[in-house]
Amino acid sequence: QVGPAADQAAAEQDRSAQAAPADHAGKAGSTDAASQVRLVDLGNRIIRTANIDLEVGKGRLNATIDQATDVVRKAKGTYVGSSTSVPSGEPASGQVTFRVPVDAFEPVLRELKGLGTYRGEKSSTDDVTNQYVDLNGQLAAWRAQERVYLRLLDRAKSVTDVIAVQNQLQQVQSNIERLQGQLNHLEDQSSFSTIVLQLSEPGAAGPAGESSGRLARAWATAVNGLGVMAAAVLVAVVWLTPLVVVAGLVLFGLRVLRRPRPASGSSQA
């Protein structure tokens, strides 16, 4: 029962292919314009990310985050999220994530680097142009298939044909939704670049305080290690003491048994 619907779909595609040359002759100008637009849309698709490490002045962590947010918003970027940590007696630190239009990536990056003392960065690029073009081609083919089945559905004359065409149409539309989702993701990732700022304030105690802190932690670790070793020795002594006592008794018994006895004949003489 599915066979006639599939044959009709194939015949419909053949008729569309035969009609294409005549239709193309009448719409050459519009086709050229559409092709140019399509080439622009299928330009290079590159996903860019950058992770910048900055040191800011003491007490300037939140103010720096606000300044960075203003820089990104002026470039029509978006604030994604942030996290800060202010541990007792240690430098405050934080992380903030932004997404900026790909055209504004470099200018925003330069401006953000000026908000503190530059300590380094990690950046990466991922060229997804081939994947994007391939997905677009697959999507165009599936949409053409969808149009064929929609025309067949309008011409179906029996319930059997309607069911057969709808089953095929559902599979085609499922593939279209899957491909469209992948394309939307690539477009979003390649249209907006990601910038992550790692911010930290200088320590209040300075290097000497940090050294003394490391020395204290090392001393505590050594003391804990000695305590563990002493406990292990004590446990060994407790377990070995009964064994030593038993071994001593056994040795004493063996010596008693091996002690030579005086001969009875020599004593009677």
Side-chain angles (χ1 to χ4, degrees):
Q1 294 175 351
V2 180
D7 294 340
Q8 292 179 9
E12 185 70 23
Q13 288 178 336
D14 291 340
R15 285 195 294 270
S16 299
Q18 293 174 359
D23 191 46
H24 175 74
K27 300 180 180 179
S30 59
T31 302
D32 293 339
S35 299
Q36 293 175 0
V37 173
R38 186 177 182 83
L39 288 175
V40 172
D41 292 338
L42 296 180
N44 291 336
R45 294 284 175 173
I46 299 176
I47 300 175
R48 305 184 66 180
T49 59
N51 193 313
I52 308 172
D53 189 4
L54 297 179
E55 182 180 294
V56 299
K58 185 178 179 181
R60 293 282 304 167
L61 181 64
N62 292 329
T64 304
I65 292 177
D66 293 338
Q67 290 178 342
T69 303
D70 291 338
V71 170
V72 171
R73 286 178 177 171
K74 289 179 181 178
K76 302 189 182 303
T78 57
Y79 165 89
V80 177
S82 65
S83 62
T84 58
S85 175
V86 189
S88 177
E90 295 185 12
S93 61
Q95 174 180 298
V96 57
T97 304
F98 302 106
R99 300 199 67 208
V100 298
V102 63
D103 295 337
F105 179 74
E106 293 293 345
V108 170
L109 205 60
R110 286 193 298 269
E111 194 165 354
L112 291 178
K113 290 178 182 179
L115 298 180
T117 303
Y118 178 76
R119 296 302 184 190
E121 71 177 278
K122 295 180 181 178
S123 59
S124 64
T125 58
D126 185 12
D127 191 344
V128 295
T129 304
N130 292 335
Q131 183 181 356
Y132 184 79
V133 172
D134 180 64
L135 289 175
N136 264 291
Q138 295 182 44
L139 184 61
W142 282 111
R143 289 199 183 281
Q145 190 78 0
E146 180 188 33
R147 290 191 295 270
V148 171
Y149 280 115
L150 288 174
R151 287 196 295 267
L152 288 176
L153 191 61
D154 292 337
R155 299 175 185 176
K157 298 180 180 179
S158 65
V159 175
T160 301
D161 290 342
V162 170
I163 294 175
V165 174
Q166 284 181 340
N167 289 336
Q168 297 295 325
L169 184 59
Q170 287 177 356
Q171 296 180 7
V172 170
Q173 291 175 339
S174 176
N175 288 327
I176 290 175
E177 292 177 359
R178 174 179 57 82
L179 293 172
Q180 188 63 60
Q182 295 178 14
L183 273 175
N184 292 342
H185 177 72
L186 289 181
E187 288 178 355
D188 177 70
Q189 293 296 312
S190 58
S191 298
F192 285 83
S193 301
T194 302
I195 299 177
V196 179
L197 279 181
Q198 300 284 352
L199 305 174
S200 61
E201 297 179 355
E210 294 177 2
S211 299
S212 62
R214 287 196 296 268
L215 182 60
R217 288 193 294 270
W219 175 255
T221 302
V223 171
N224 290 336
L226 290 175
V228 172
M229 291 178 62
V233 171
L234 181 61
V235 171
V237 170
V238 171
W239 279 96
L240 291 176
T241 298
L243 296 177
V244 172
V245 173
V246 171
L249 292 175
V250 171
L251 291 175
F252 178 76
L254 291 175
R255 288 182 179 180
V256 171
L257 292 176
R258 292 180 179 180
R259 182 178 299 173
R261 298 178 180 180
S264 59
S266 60
S267 61
Q268 291 178 0

